[in-house]
Amino acid sequence: KVWRSKFSQNTIDIVTQGVSADVQYNWWGSPSGPTVCIEGCVYKQKYEKIIGDVSVAPWAEEADKRDPVVVIPGAMGSWRKTQMSELELDPIFGTYDDLIKVLDENGYEEGKDLFRFPYEWHMSNVESAKLLRTRINAIKAQVKWPRVDIVAHSMGGLVTREYVRALGGDASIDQFITLGTPHKGAPKGYLMWEGGEFSSASKFSISDFFTEKIFQQEAEENGYESIFDYIRGVPIQSVRELLPVYPYLRNVGESELMSYASPEYPMNTFLESLGTAAALQKLEKVSFTNIVGKTENDATIEEIRTNG
């Protein structure tokens, strides 16, 4: 099998005997593919420079065809402008506008080789991964290309990793870039899941403030008396799936963090499944880049003190 390559300046490109060759998605020097053999052809020879049992279609219709890019947002990165409209990539704060602009300036064109994947971030990442599989399959069929590149922000990276782990995503992704993805969870998830809170007394950010207001409004609209009741009552599984899978709780007055396996910790079987040897072996088949950002005024919560 030879995919996503170029055949040029050869007297004969391919000769096979007794075996079949899969040479789809290649550039043959013309948008119409390899030249059809008309004169001087050997038995069953269909193309001038190809002899034998060979699958060539679909082929690349341009010399430097690139993998299409799929942009996947994080939690709270997808919204509907109205209840009846389609999900969009953060039309409120425009979080991904600069990313889309940079890709556009580098020659990517939306609907051709640049696609967005807004999703219902309240539900489990397991379910979002199934929708991602459907979306990527549709993109591959549309552009007639076997693989995509993914740029995923925050929780979008976890959605993609689940797609790789459980749904064959390693066969459909070439490059996978995560931006600020909590691969081992985020202690802030504990505040949200266990207390319906979004920041600690010592760590506060404007984004936390707006996030809390949005959840408060959603809770009221859905008939819940508090954010905690809303998160646990729906439940919003994506919040639970952000719980860390490492020690991060410390009882007041104690110097050591409690062991993650202790009863005080709510377990996160979702992230545990992404960290298994089998899951990581599948991720190794993908060109994976993890980007982590940190600023001087960083508001990341690293540990939480409890009253036992």
Side-chain angles (χ1 to χ4, degrees), residues 70-106:
V70 184
V71 177
I72 305 177
M76 301 188 67
S78 306
W79 296 96
R80 290 182 174 87
K81 290 182 178 179
T82 67
Q83 290 185 343
M84 301 302 294
S85 61
E86 296 291 328
L87 283 167
E88 299 182 36
L89 244 64
D90 193 5
I92 300 174
F93 300 109
T95 305
Y96 306 99
D97 291 353
D98 286 345
L99 173 59
I100 298 295
K101 181 180 178 182
V102 168
L103 289 168
D104 177 73
E105 290 172 346
N106 281 273

PDB file of all heavy atoms in Angstrom, residues 70-106:
ATOM      1  N   VAL A  70      -9.395  19.501  11.146  1.00  0.00           N
ATOM      2  CA  VAL A  70     -10.632  19.583  11.922  1.00  0.00           C
ATOM      3  C   VAL A  70     -10.315  20.283  13.239  1.00  0.00           C
ATOM      4  O   VAL A  70      -9.428  19.850  13.979  1.00  0.00           O
ATOM      5  CB  VAL A  70     -11.225  18.186  12.198  1.00  0.00           C
ATOM      6  CG1 VAL A  70     -12.566  18.317  12.926  1.00  0.00           C
ATOM      7  CG2 VAL A  70     -11.398  17.402  10.901  1.00  0.00           C
ATOM      8  N   VAL A  71     -11.031  21.370  13.531  1.00  0.00           N
ATOM      9  CA  VAL A  71     -10.843  22.122  14.773  1.00  0.00           C
ATOM     10  C   VAL A  71     -11.913  21.686  15.768  1.00  0.00           C
ATOM     11  O   VAL A  71     -13.119  21.749  15.475  1.00  0.00           O
ATOM     12  CB  VAL A  71     -10.938  23.638  14.527  1.00  0.00           C
ATOM     13  CG1 VAL A  71     -10.818  24.404  15.844  1.00  0.00           C
ATOM     14  CG2 VAL A  71      -9.838  24.081  13.564  1.00  0.00           C
ATOM     15  N   ILE A  72     -11.477  21.234  16.954  1.00  0.00           N
ATOM     16  CA  ILE A  72     -12.397  20.715  17.971  1.00  0.00           C
ATOM     17  C   ILE A  72     -12.278  21.568  19.231  1.00  0.00           C
ATOM     18  O   ILE A  72     -11.188  21.662  19.815  1.00  0.00           O
ATOM     19  CB  ILE A  72     -12.088  19.244  18.291  1.00  0.00           C
ATOM     20  CG1 ILE A  72     -12.107  18.411  16.998  1.00  0.00           C
ATOM     21  CG2 ILE A  72     -13.075  18.686  19.302  1.00  0.00           C
ATOM     22  CD1 ILE A  72     -11.755  16.966  17.198  1.00  0.00           C
ATOM     23  N   PRO A  73     -13.348  22.212  19.658  1.00  0.00           N
ATOM     24  CA  PRO A  73     -13.287  23.095  20.824  1.00  0.00           C
ATOM     25  C   PRO A  73     -13.321  22.328  22.136  1.00  0.00           C
ATOM     26  O   PRO A  73     -13.540  21.109  22.170  1.00  0.00           O
ATOM     27  CB  PRO A  73     -14.549  23.946  20.668  1.00  0.00           C
ATOM     28  CG  PRO A  73     -15.520  23.003  20.018  1.00  0.00           C
ATOM     29  CD  PRO A  73     -14.698  22.164  19.074  1.00  0.00           C
ATOM     30  N   GLY A  74     -13.126  23.059  23.219  1.00  0.00           N
ATOM     31  CA  GLY A  74     -13.196  22.472  24.545  1.00  0.00           C
ATOM     32  C   GLY A  74     -14.563  22.665  25.165  1.00  0.00           C
ATOM     33  O   GLY A  74     -15.534  23.031  24.489  1.00  0.00           O
ATOM     34  N   ALA A  75     -14.659  22.427  26.472  1.00  0.00           N
ATOM     35  CA  ALA A  75     -15.912  22.645  27.197  1.00  0.00           C
ATOM     36  C   ALA A  75     -16.321  24.106  27.056  1.00  0.00           C
ATOM     37  O   ALA A  75     -15.488  25.006  27.093  1.00  0.00           O
ATOM     38  CB  ALA A  75     -15.731  22.295  28.674  1.00  0.00           C
ATOM     39  N   MET A  76     -17.581  24.331  26.848  1.00  0.00           N
ATOM     40  CA  MET A  76     -18.152  25.659  26.669  1.00  0.00           C
ATOM     41  C   MET A  76     -17.664  26.332  25.388  1.00  0.00           C
ATOM     42  O   MET A  76     -17.778  27.539  25.232  1.00  0.00           O
ATOM     43  CB  MET A  76     -17.869  26.549  27.880  1.00  0.00           C
ATOM     44  CG  MET A  76     -18.417  26.004  29.182  1.00  0.00           C
ATOM     45  SD  MET A  76     -18.268  27.163  30.529  1.00  0.00           S
ATOM     46  CE  MET A  76     -19.415  28.437  29.992  1.00  0.00           C
ATOM     47  N   GLY A  77     -17.126  25.529  24.466  1.00  0.00           N
ATOM     48  CA  GLY A  77     -16.651  26.080  23.201  1.00  0.00           C
ATOM     49  C   GLY A  77     -17.631  25.940  22.066  1.00  0.00           C
ATOM     50  O   GLY A  77     -17.322  26.306  20.930  1.00  0.00           O
ATOM     51  N   SER A  78     -18.826  25.408  22.345  1.00  0.00           N
ATOM     52  CA  SER A  78     -19.862  25.242  21.318  1.00  0.00           C
ATOM     53  C   SER A  78     -21.176  25.791  21.854  1.00  0.00           C
ATOM     54  O   SER A  78     -21.584  25.462  22.980  1.00  0.00           O
ATOM     55  CB  SER A  78     -20.039  23.759  20.960  1.00  0.00           C
ATOM     56  OG  SER A  78     -18.809  23.164  20.588  1.00  0.00           O
ATOM     57  N   TRP A  79     -21.835  26.605  21.043  1.00  0.00           N
ATOM     58  CA  TRP A  79     -23.084  27.231  21.477  1.00  0.00           C
ATOM     59  C   TRP A  79     -24.069  27.343  20.325  1.00  0.00           C
ATOM     60  O   TRP A  79     -23.681  27.336  19.151  1.00  0.00           O
ATOM     61  CB  TRP A  79     -22.834  28.638  22.035  1.00  0.00           C
ATOM     62  CG  TRP A  79     -22.005  28.660  23.270  1.00  0.00           C
ATOM     63  CD1 TRP A  79     -20.654  28.863  23.352  1.00  0.00           C
ATOM     64  CD2 TRP A  79     -22.454  28.437  24.605  1.00  0.00           C
ATOM     65  NE1 TRP A  79     -20.233  28.793  24.652  1.00  0.00           N
ATOM     66  CE2 TRP A  79     -21.312  28.537  25.448  1.00  0.00           C
ATOM     67  CE3 TRP A  79     -23.697  28.180  25.176  1.00  0.00           C
ATOM     68  CZ2 TRP A  79     -21.387  28.383  26.825  1.00  0.00           C
ATOM     69  CZ3 TRP A  79     -23.768  28.027  26.549  1.00  0.00           C
ATOM     70  CH2 TRP A  79     -22.638  28.122  27.350  1.00  0.00           C
ATOM     71  N   ARG A  80     -25.343  27.463  20.687  1.00  0.00           N
ATOM     72  CA  ARG A  80     -26.384  27.807  19.725  1.00  0.00           C
ATOM     73  C   ARG A  80     -26.795  29.258  19.951  1.00  0.00           C
ATOM     74  O   ARG A  80     -27.026  29.662  21.088  1.00  0.00           O
ATOM     75  CB  ARG A  80     -27.605  26.899  19.894  1.00  0.00           C
ATOM     76  CG  ARG A  80     -27.382  25.454  19.471  1.00  0.00           C
ATOM     77  CD  ARG A  80     -28.666  24.641  19.622  1.00  0.00           C
ATOM     78  NE  ARG A  80     -28.523  23.295  19.087  1.00  0.00           N
ATOM     79  CZ  ARG A  80     -28.061  22.258  19.762  1.00  0.00           C
ATOM     80  NH1 ARG A  80     -27.710  22.418  21.035  1.00  0.00           N
ATOM     81  NH2 ARG A  80     -27.952  21.077  19.197  1.00  0.00           N
ATOM     82  N   LYS A  81     -26.879  30.029  18.883  1.00  0.00           N
ATOM     83  CA  LYS A  81     -27.311  31.419  19.021  1.00  0.00           C
ATOM     84  C   LYS A  81     -28.767  31.494  19.458  1.00  0.00           C
ATOM     85  O   LYS A  81     -29.165  32.387  20.196  1.00  0.00           O
ATOM     86  CB  LYS A  81     -27.110  32.159  17.707  1.00  0.00           C
ATOM     87  CG  LYS A  81     -25.649  32.397  17.355  1.00  0.00           C
ATOM     88  CD  LYS A  81     -25.502  33.171  16.068  1.00  0.00           C
ATOM     89  CE  LYS A  81     -24.034  33.433  15.751  1.00  0.00           C
ATOM     90  NZ  LYS A  81     -23.862  34.170  14.474  1.00  0.00           N
ATOM     91  N   THR A  82     -29.561  30.532  18.993  1.00  0.00           N
ATOM     92  CA  THR A  82     -30.943  30.388  19.434  1.00  0.00           C
ATOM     93  C   THR A  82     -31.185  28.908  19.695  1.00  0.00           C
ATOM     94  O   THR A  82     -30.387  28.050  19.282  1.00  0.00           O
ATOM     95  CB  THR A  82     -31.943  30.898  18.377  1.00  0.00           C
ATOM     96  OG1 THR A  82     -31.896  30.031  17.213  1.00  0.00           O
ATOM     97  CG2 THR A  82     -31.604  32.330  17.948  1.00  0.00           C
ATOM     98  N   GLN A  83     -32.284  28.582  20.358  1.00  0.00           N
ATOM     99  CA  GLN A  83     -32.576  27.183  20.664  1.00  0.00           C
ATOM    100  C   GLN A  83     -32.766  26.336  19.411  1.00  0.00           C
ATOM    101  O   GLN A  83     -32.540  25.126  19.442  1.00  0.00           O
ATOM    102  CB  GLN A  83     -33.836  27.102  21.534  1.00  0.00           C
ATOM    103  CG  GLN A  83     -33.638  27.619  22.960  1.00  0.00           C
ATOM    104  CD  GLN A  83     -34.864  27.402  23.820  1.00  0.00           C
ATOM    105  OE1 GLN A  83     -35.965  27.155  23.318  1.00  0.00           O
ATOM    106  NE2 GLN A  83     -34.683  27.500  25.130  1.00  0.00           N
ATOM    107  N   MET A  84     -33.149  26.972  18.311  1.00  0.00           N
ATOM    108  CA  MET A  84     -33.434  26.239  17.083  1.00  0.00           C
ATOM    109  C   MET A  84     -32.239  26.207  16.126  1.00  0.00           C
ATOM    110  O   MET A  84     -32.289  25.499  15.121  1.00  0.00           O
ATOM    111  CB  MET A  84     -34.637  26.874  16.368  1.00  0.00           C
ATOM    112  CG  MET A  84     -35.911  26.897  17.201  1.00  0.00           C
ATOM    113  SD  MET A  84     -36.433  25.235  17.736  1.00  0.00           S
ATOM    114  CE  MET A  84     -36.838  24.498  16.157  1.00  0.00           C
ATOM    115  N   SER A  85     -31.193  26.955  16.402  1.00  0.00           N
ATOM    116  CA  SER A  85     -30.065  27.036  15.474  1.00  0.00           C
ATOM    117  C   SER A  85     -29.067  25.905  15.724  1.00  0.00           C
ATOM    118  O   SER A  85     -29.109  25.212  16.742  1.00  0.00           O
ATOM    119  CB  SER A  85     -29.373  28.390  15.605  1.00  0.00           C
ATOM    120  OG  SER A  85     -28.859  28.572  16.919  1.00  0.00           O
ATOM    121  N   GLU A  86     -28.134  25.742  14.775  1.00  0.00           N
ATOM    122  CA  GLU A  86     -27.106  24.712  14.876  1.00  0.00           C
ATOM    123  C   GLU A  86     -26.011  25.151  15.849  1.00  0.00           C
ATOM    124  O   GLU A  86     -25.804  26.346  16.087  1.00  0.00           O
ATOM    125  CB  GLU A  86     -26.496  24.451  13.497  1.00  0.00           C
ATOM    126  CG  GLU A  86     -27.461  23.887  12.468  1.00  0.00           C
ATOM    127  CD  GLU A  86     -27.891  22.470  12.777  1.00  0.00           C
ATOM    128  OE1 GLU A  86     -27.066  21.720  13.351  1.00  0.00           O
ATOM    129  OE2 GLU A  86     -29.031  22.112  12.453  1.00  0.00           O
ATOM    130  N   LEU A  87     -25.314  24.177  16.402  1.00  0.00           N
ATOM    131  CA  LEU A  87     -24.171  24.479  17.253  1.00  0.00           C
ATOM    132  C   LEU A  87     -23.070  25.160  16.446  1.00  0.00           C
ATOM    133  O   LEU A  87     -22.817  24.797  15.290  1.00  0.00           O
ATOM    134  CB  LEU A  87     -23.625  23.199  17.883  1.00  0.00           C
ATOM    135  CG  LEU A  87     -24.404  22.619  19.065  1.00  0.00           C
ATOM    136  CD1 LEU A  87     -23.935  21.198  19.357  1.00  0.00           C
ATOM    137  CD2 LEU A  87     -24.240  23.491  20.307  1.00  0.00           C
ATOM    138  N   GLU A  88     -22.418  26.152  17.061  1.00  0.00           N
ATOM    139  CA  GLU A  88     -21.320  26.863  16.423  1.00  0.00           C
ATOM    140  C   GLU A  88     -20.111  26.893  17.347  1.00  0.00           C
ATOM    141  O   GLU A  88     -20.229  26.709  18.557  1.00  0.00           O
ATOM    142  CB  GLU A  88     -21.727  28.302  16.082  1.00  0.00           C
ATOM    143  CG  GLU A  88     -22.888  28.419  15.114  1.00  0.00           C
ATOM    144  CD  GLU A  88     -23.202  29.873  14.795  1.00  0.00           C
ATOM    145  OE1 GLU A  88     -22.252  30.682  14.709  1.00  0.00           O
ATOM    146  OE2 GLU A  88     -24.382  30.208  14.657  1.00  0.00           O
ATOM    147  N   LEU A  89     -18.938  27.150  16.759  1.00  0.00           N
ATOM    148  CA  LEU A  89     -17.720  27.293  17.551  1.00  0.00           C
ATOM    149  C   LEU A  89     -17.723  28.654  18.236  1.00  0.00           C
ATOM    150  O   LEU A  89     -17.433  29.668  17.613  1.00  0.00           O
ATOM    151  CB  LEU A  89     -16.483  27.163  16.652  1.00  0.00           C
ATOM    152  CG  LEU A  89     -15.557  25.976  16.929  1.00  0.00           C
ATOM    153  CD1 LEU A  89     -16.294  24.678  16.666  1.00  0.00           C
ATOM    154  CD2 LEU A  89     -14.313  26.057  16.061  1.00  0.00           C
ATOM    155  N   ASP A  90     -18.075  28.658  19.499  1.00  0.00           N
ATOM    156  CA  ASP A  90     -18.029  29.832  20.364  1.00  0.00           C
ATOM    157  C   ASP A  90     -18.341  31.153  19.655  1.00  0.00           C
ATOM    158  O   ASP A  90     -17.465  32.013  19.501  1.00  0.00           O
ATOM    159  CB  ASP A  90     -16.668  29.936  21.035  1.00  0.00           C
ATOM    160  CG  ASP A  90     -16.683  30.944  22.187  1.00  0.00           C
ATOM    161  OD1 ASP A  90     -17.762  31.471  22.500  1.00  0.00           O
ATOM    162  OD2 ASP A  90     -15.615  31.184  22.760  1.00  0.00           O
ATOM    163  N   PRO A  91     -19.601  31.342  19.238  1.00  0.00           N
ATOM    164  CA  PRO A  91     -19.972  32.617  18.622  1.00  0.00           C
ATOM    165  C   PRO A  91     -20.071  33.756  19.633  1.00  0.00           C
ATOM    166  O   PRO A  91     -20.220  34.915  19.251  1.00  0.00           O
ATOM    167  CB  PRO A  91     -21.347  32.302  18.011  1.00  0.00           C
ATOM    168  CG  PRO A  91     -21.919  31.258  18.917  1.00  0.00           C
ATOM    169  CD  PRO A  91     -20.747  30.417  19.342  1.00  0.00           C
ATOM    170  N   ILE A  92     -19.982  33.435  20.933  1.00  0.00           N
ATOM    171  CA  ILE A  92     -20.142  34.451  21.983  1.00  0.00           C
ATOM    172  C   ILE A  92     -18.826  35.198  22.227  1.00  0.00           C
ATOM    173  O   ILE A  92     -18.758  36.418  22.127  1.00  0.00           O
ATOM    174  CB  ILE A  92     -20.643  33.807  23.283  1.00  0.00           C
ATOM    175  CG1 ILE A  92     -22.003  33.122  23.038  1.00  0.00           C
ATOM    176  CG2 ILE A  92     -20.760  34.848  24.392  1.00  0.00           C
ATOM    177  CD1 ILE A  92     -22.518  32.334  24.220  1.00  0.00           C
ATOM    178  N   PHE A  93     -17.762  34.465  22.535  1.00  0.00           N
ATOM    179  CA  PHE A  93     -16.473  35.083  22.852  1.00  0.00           C
ATOM    180  C   PHE A  93     -15.468  35.009  21.701  1.00  0.00           C
ATOM    181  O   PHE A  93     -14.414  35.639  21.764  1.00  0.00           O
ATOM    182  CB  PHE A  93     -15.860  34.431  24.096  1.00  0.00           C
ATOM    183  CG  PHE A  93     -16.718  34.561  25.322  1.00  0.00           C
ATOM    184  CD1 PHE A  93     -17.374  33.460  25.852  1.00  0.00           C
ATOM    185  CD2 PHE A  93     -16.887  35.789  25.949  1.00  0.00           C
ATOM    186  CE1 PHE A  93     -18.167  33.579  26.986  1.00  0.00           C
ATOM    187  CE2 PHE A  93     -17.680  35.913  27.083  1.00  0.00           C
ATOM    188  CZ  PHE A  93     -18.325  34.810  27.605  1.00  0.00           C
ATOM    189  N   GLY A  94     -15.780  34.227  20.679  1.00  0.00           N
ATOM    190  CA  GLY A  94     -14.873  34.122  19.535  1.00  0.00           C
ATOM    191  C   GLY A  94     -13.526  33.511  19.869  1.00  0.00           C
ATOM    192  O   GLY A  94     -12.495  33.900  19.308  1.00  0.00           O
ATOM    193  N   THR A  95     -13.533  32.516  20.764  1.00  0.00           N
ATOM    194  CA  THR A  95     -12.291  31.914  21.237  1.00  0.00           C
ATOM    195  C   THR A  95     -11.430  31.361  20.106  1.00  0.00           C
ATOM    196  O   THR A  95     -10.195  31.430  20.163  1.00  0.00           O
ATOM    197  CB  THR A  95     -12.608  30.780  22.229  1.00  0.00           C
ATOM    198  OG1 THR A  95     -13.425  31.293  23.283  1.00  0.00           O
ATOM    199  CG2 THR A  95     -11.349  30.183  22.811  1.00  0.00           C
ATOM    200  N   TYR A  96     -12.062  30.837  19.067  1.00  0.00           N
ATOM    201  CA  TYR A  96     -11.314  30.145  18.021  1.00  0.00           C
ATOM    202  C   TYR A  96     -11.181  30.961  16.740  1.00  0.00           C
ATOM    203  O   TYR A  96     -10.677  30.448  15.735  1.00  0.00           O
ATOM    204  CB  TYR A  96     -11.984  28.791  17.741  1.00  0.00           C
ATOM    205  CG  TYR A  96     -12.134  27.977  19.001  1.00  0.00           C
ATOM    206  CD1 TYR A  96     -13.346  27.947  19.696  1.00  0.00           C
ATOM    207  CD2 TYR A  96     -11.051  27.299  19.550  1.00  0.00           C
ATOM    208  CE1 TYR A  96     -13.467  27.243  20.884  1.00  0.00           C
ATOM    209  CE2 TYR A  96     -11.162  26.599  20.732  1.00  0.00           C
ATOM    210  CZ  TYR A  96     -12.373  26.569  21.394  1.00  0.00           C
ATOM    211  OH  TYR A  96     -12.488  25.879  22.579  1.00  0.00           O
ATOM    212  N   ASP A  97     -11.587  32.208  16.776  1.00  0.00           N
ATOM    213  CA  ASP A  97     -11.537  33.040  15.572  1.00  0.00           C
ATOM    214  C   ASP A  97     -10.108  33.212  15.065  1.00  0.00           C
ATOM    215  O   ASP A  97      -9.848  33.141  13.854  1.00  0.00           O
ATOM    216  CB  ASP A  97     -12.168  34.410  15.834  1.00  0.00           C
ATOM    217  CG  ASP A  97     -13.670  34.332  16.033  1.00  0.00           C
ATOM    218  OD1 ASP A  97     -14.235  33.231  15.840  1.00  0.00           O
ATOM    219  OD2 ASP A  97     -14.286  35.361  16.385  1.00  0.00           O
ATOM    220  N   ASP A  98      -9.162  33.452  15.977  1.00  0.00           N
ATOM    221  CA  ASP A  98      -7.768  33.659  15.557  1.00  0.00           C
ATOM    222  C   ASP A  98      -7.176  32.391  14.962  1.00  0.00           C
ATOM    223  O   ASP A  98      -6.408  32.444  13.990  1.00  0.00           O
ATOM    224  CB  ASP A  98      -6.919  34.138  16.735  1.00  0.00           C
ATOM    225  CG  ASP A  98      -7.184  35.592  17.098  1.00  0.00           C
ATOM    226  OD1 ASP A  98      -7.799  36.304  16.275  1.00  0.00           O
ATOM    227  OD2 ASP A  98      -6.800  36.012  18.203  1.00  0.00           O
ATOM    228  N   LEU A  99      -7.512  31.237  15.546  1.00  0.00           N
ATOM    229  CA  LEU A  99      -7.011  29.966  15.023  1.00  0.00           C
ATOM    230  C   LEU A  99      -7.523  29.743  13.603  1.00  0.00           C
ATOM    231  O   LEU A  99      -6.749  29.383  12.701  1.00  0.00           O
ATOM    232  CB  LEU A  99      -7.446  28.818  15.932  1.00  0.00           C
ATOM    233  CG  LEU A  99      -7.139  27.402  15.440  1.00  0.00           C
ATOM    234  CD1 LEU A  99      -5.643  27.208  15.217  1.00  0.00           C
ATOM    235  CD2 LEU A  99      -7.670  26.364  16.423  1.00  0.00           C
ATOM    236  N   ILE A 100      -8.811  29.949  13.392  1.00  0.00           N
ATOM    237  CA  ILE A 100      -9.397  29.798  12.057  1.00  0.00           C
ATOM    238  C   ILE A 100      -8.751  30.784  11.090  1.00  0.00           C
ATOM    239  O   ILE A 100      -8.436  30.440   9.932  1.00  0.00           O
ATOM    240  CB  ILE A 100     -10.919  30.013  12.107  1.00  0.00           C
ATOM    241  CG1 ILE A 100     -11.596  28.956  12.997  1.00  0.00           C
ATOM    242  CG2 ILE A 100     -11.511  29.983  10.703  1.00  0.00           C
ATOM    243  CD1 ILE A 100     -11.497  27.541  12.486  1.00  0.00           C
ATOM    244  N   LYS A 101      -8.506  32.004  11.555  1.00  0.00           N
ATOM    245  CA  LYS A 101      -7.900  33.028  10.701  1.00  0.00           C
ATOM    246  C   LYS A 101      -6.497  32.634  10.269  1.00  0.00           C
ATOM    247  O   LYS A 101      -6.125  32.787   9.088  1.00  0.00           O
ATOM    248  CB  LYS A 101      -7.854  34.363  11.450  1.00  0.00           C
ATOM    249  CG  LYS A 101      -7.247  35.507  10.637  1.00  0.00           C
ATOM    250  CD  LYS A 101      -7.227  36.797  11.447  1.00  0.00           C
ATOM    251  CE  LYS A 101      -6.576  37.930  10.649  1.00  0.00           C
ATOM    252  NZ  LYS A 101      -6.509  39.182  11.434  1.00  0.00           N
ATOM    253  N   VAL A 102      -5.695  32.108  11.195  1.00  0.00           N
ATOM    254  CA  VAL A 102      -4.330  31.694  10.860  1.00  0.00           C
ATOM    255  C   VAL A 102      -4.339  30.557   9.842  1.00  0.00           C
ATOM    256  O   VAL A 102      -3.544  30.549   8.884  1.00  0.00           O
ATOM    257  CB  VAL A 102      -3.567  31.267  12.134  1.00  0.00           C
ATOM    258  CG1 VAL A 102      -2.261  30.572  11.771  1.00  0.00           C
ATOM    259  CG2 VAL A 102      -3.282  32.488  13.000  1.00  0.00           C
ATOM    260  N   LEU A 103      -5.210  29.597  10.024  1.00  0.00           N
ATOM    261  CA  LEU A 103      -5.317  28.495   9.065  1.00  0.00           C
ATOM    262  C   LEU A 103      -5.750  29.018   7.701  1.00  0.00           C
ATOM    263  O   LEU A 103      -5.246  28.583   6.660  1.00  0.00           O
ATOM    264  CB  LEU A 103      -6.301  27.446   9.585  1.00  0.00           C
ATOM    265  CG  LEU A 103      -5.806  26.627  10.782  1.00  0.00           C
ATOM    266  CD1 LEU A 103      -6.958  25.839  11.402  1.00  0.00           C
ATOM    267  CD2 LEU A 103      -4.690  25.688  10.372  1.00  0.00           C
ATOM    268  N   ASP A 104      -6.685  29.970   7.700  1.00  0.00           N
ATOM    269  CA  ASP A 104      -7.146  30.578   6.450  1.00  0.00           C
ATOM    270  C   ASP A 104      -5.996  31.298   5.747  1.00  0.00           C
ATOM    271  O   ASP A 104      -5.827  31.197   4.529  1.00  0.00           O
ATOM    272  CB  ASP A 104      -8.290  31.548   6.743  1.00  0.00           C
ATOM    273  CG  ASP A 104      -8.772  32.266   5.486  1.00  0.00           C
ATOM    274  OD1 ASP A 104      -9.432  31.602   4.661  1.00  0.00           O
ATOM    275  OD2 ASP A 104      -8.497  33.476   5.341  1.00  0.00           O
ATOM    276  N   GLU A 105      -5.180  32.021   6.527  1.00  0.00           N
ATOM    277  CA  GLU A 105      -4.052  32.751   5.943  1.00  0.00           C
ATOM    278  C   GLU A 105      -2.983  31.815   5.397  1.00  0.00           C
ATOM    279  O   GLU A 105      -2.160  32.226   4.572  1.00  0.00           O
ATOM    280  CB  GLU A 105      -3.446  33.677   7.001  1.00  0.00           C
ATOM    281  CG  GLU A 105      -4.352  34.850   7.374  1.00  0.00           C
ATOM    282  CD  GLU A 105      -3.821  35.645   8.550  1.00  0.00           C
ATOM    283  OE1 GLU A 105      -2.898  35.137   9.242  1.00  0.00           O
ATOM    284  OE2 GLU A 105      -4.313  36.764   8.776  1.00  0.00           O
ATOM    285  N   ASN A 106      -2.987  30.569   5.854  1.00  0.00           N
ATOM    286  CA  ASN A 106      -2.027  29.584   5.364  1.00  0.00           C
ATOM    287  C   ASN A 106      -2.609  28.690   4.281  1.00  0.00           C
ATOM    288  O   ASN A 106      -2.086  27.592   4.013  1.00  0.00           O
ATOM    289  CB  ASN A 106      -1.504  28.745   6.519  1.00  0.00           C
ATOM    290  CG  ASN A 106      -0.437  29.480   7.325  1.00  0.00           C
ATOM    291  OD1 ASN A 106       0.744  29.426   6.992  1.00  0.00           O
ATOM    292  ND2 ASN A 106      -0.854  30.189   8.360  1.00  0.00           N
TER     293      ASN A 106
END
